[in-house]
Amino acid sequence: DGGITQSPKYLFRKEGQNVTLSCEQNLNHDAMYWYRQDPGQGLRLIYYSQIVNDFQKGDIAEGYSVSREKKESFPLTVTSAQKNPTAFYLCASGPTGTGAYEQYFGPGTRLTVT
Amino acid sequence: AQKVTQAQTEISVVEKEDVTLDCVYETRDTTYYLFWYKQPPSGELVFLIRRNSFDEQNEISGRYSWNFQKSTSSFNFTITASQVVDSAVYFCALSEAFGGADGLTFGKGTHLIIQP
């Protein structure tokens, strides 16, 4: 079955620790995205990548880092520099080309930092 | 800068009622794309519809319909004969990217509660 997997579903960390969230897709999409969702808020774009070995900052990239070494994978690292890391993180992927295409989302990872 | 406003934070209706979710957008581009997503309690976003700025035809899919009006910068979503399974958070989103692979700008969402 094609889709996007994110692991783990729930993640707990102590303040000051870096943590990496996994995102894998087998939809053969070129583009991948990371969004953050806070309670009662919409999704905000953290980083996105349109092609392997290239990525761009979104609206709230500070305190986060990403890599895109493989087409299928786009891990997100939440660093200790992120002031409010507790949130729901959603990964998405989509095709590229002329026009804007819908993005397909994974099940999300709920990160709690104490 | 682009912006999406969903003024209705929460809507509660009784099953079988019709309900309309409002979406107003702002953009400087003449070419743009609008989306609706559904987020059930599980958290995963489910794609519902994509509409480009050149296509103002309303669309109907079963009990769902969408009304796109460029004159008022609105892209409203109506559920006819609502069901309990329609309970979710619904997001409207916008993309200005002609290249197609930039991120989406989301509204804050409308929490729809369908009471049995």
Side-chain angles (χ1 to χ4, degrees):
Chain A
D1 283 55
I4 300 174
T5 57
Q6 292 185 246
S7 59
K9 191 170 180 64
Y10 298 95
L11 193 52
F12 299 89
R13 280 294 182 270
K14 294 291 187 184
E15 195 172 326
Q17 294 179 336
N18 291 354
V19 58
T20 296
L21 281 59
S22 167
C23 177
E24 304 277 333
Q25 57 101 357
N26 60 5
L27 299 169
N28 199 33
H29 288 157
D30 286 317
M32 296 187 74
Y33 311 82
W34 275 105
Y35 292 89
R36 169 183 172 137
Q37 184 179 17
D38 294 285
Q41 300 295 314
L43 280 70
R44 292 181 290 168
L45 183 65
I46 305 173
Y47 268 99
Y48 65 101
S49 167
Q50 299 182 2
I51 196 169
V52 173
N53 292 323
D54 188 41
F55 47 82
Q56 287 76 41
K57 293 181 179 180
D59 301 319
I60 55 166
E62 185 175 348
Y64 299 98
S65 66
V66 293
S67 63
R68 186 85 186 278
E69 297 177 1
K70 298 187 302 180
K71 185 176 183 177
E72 302 78 18
S73 178
F74 191 41
L76 172 74
T77 296
V78 184
T79 75
S80 56
Q82 168 52 232
K83 295 178 182 178
N84 296 295
T86 295
F88 187 48
Y89 291 88
L90 285 153
C91 178
S93 72
T96 58
T98 302
Y101 297 92
E102 56 270 26
Q103 296 174 12
Y104 298 84
F105 285 81
T109 292
R110 198 167 296 277
L111 174 65
T112 302
V113 177
T114 58
Chain B
Q2 53 189 348
K3 184 179 178 181
V4 176
T5 301
Q6 295 180 256
Q8 304 151 310
T9 304
E10 183 173 290
I11 300 175
S12 181
V13 300
V14 177
E15 198 172 19
K16 297 183 183 177
E17 288 185 12
D18 299 347
V19 57
T20 295
L21 310 182
D22 297 333
C23 173
V24 174
Y25 61 91
E26 296 175 26
T27 176
R28 292 172 296 186
D29 281 10
T30 56
T31 301
Y32 53 89
Y33 301 81
L34 296 162
F35 304 79
W36 275 96
Y37 283 86
K38 174 181 180 180
Q39 186 178 43
S42 63
E44 185 170 341
L45 266 72
V46 177
F47 165 76
L48 295 178
I49 189 171
R50 173 179 64 129
R51 174 66 82 223
N52 72 55
S53 53
F54 298 110
D55 183 1
E56 286 194 74
Q57 274 194 322
N58 291 332
E59 180 153 342
I60 298 174
S61 176
R63 296 184 296 106
Y64 295 172
S65 62
W66 291 268
N67 182 4
F68 177 31
Q69 293 195 339
K70 288 179 72 171
S71 61
T72 56
S73 297
S74 65
F75 186 44
N76 297 337
F77 173 32
T78 296
I79 300 175
T80 303
S82 61
Q83 299 177 2
V84 173
V85 294
D86 295 327
S87 296
V89 180
Y90 290 86
F91 290 98
C92 181
L94 166 70
S95 172
E96 292 177 336
F98 187 74
D102 290 358
L104 301 177
T105 297
F106 284 84
K108 292 188 176 183
T110 297
H111 185 198
L112 178 62
I113 301 169
I114 310 297
Q115 300 179 28

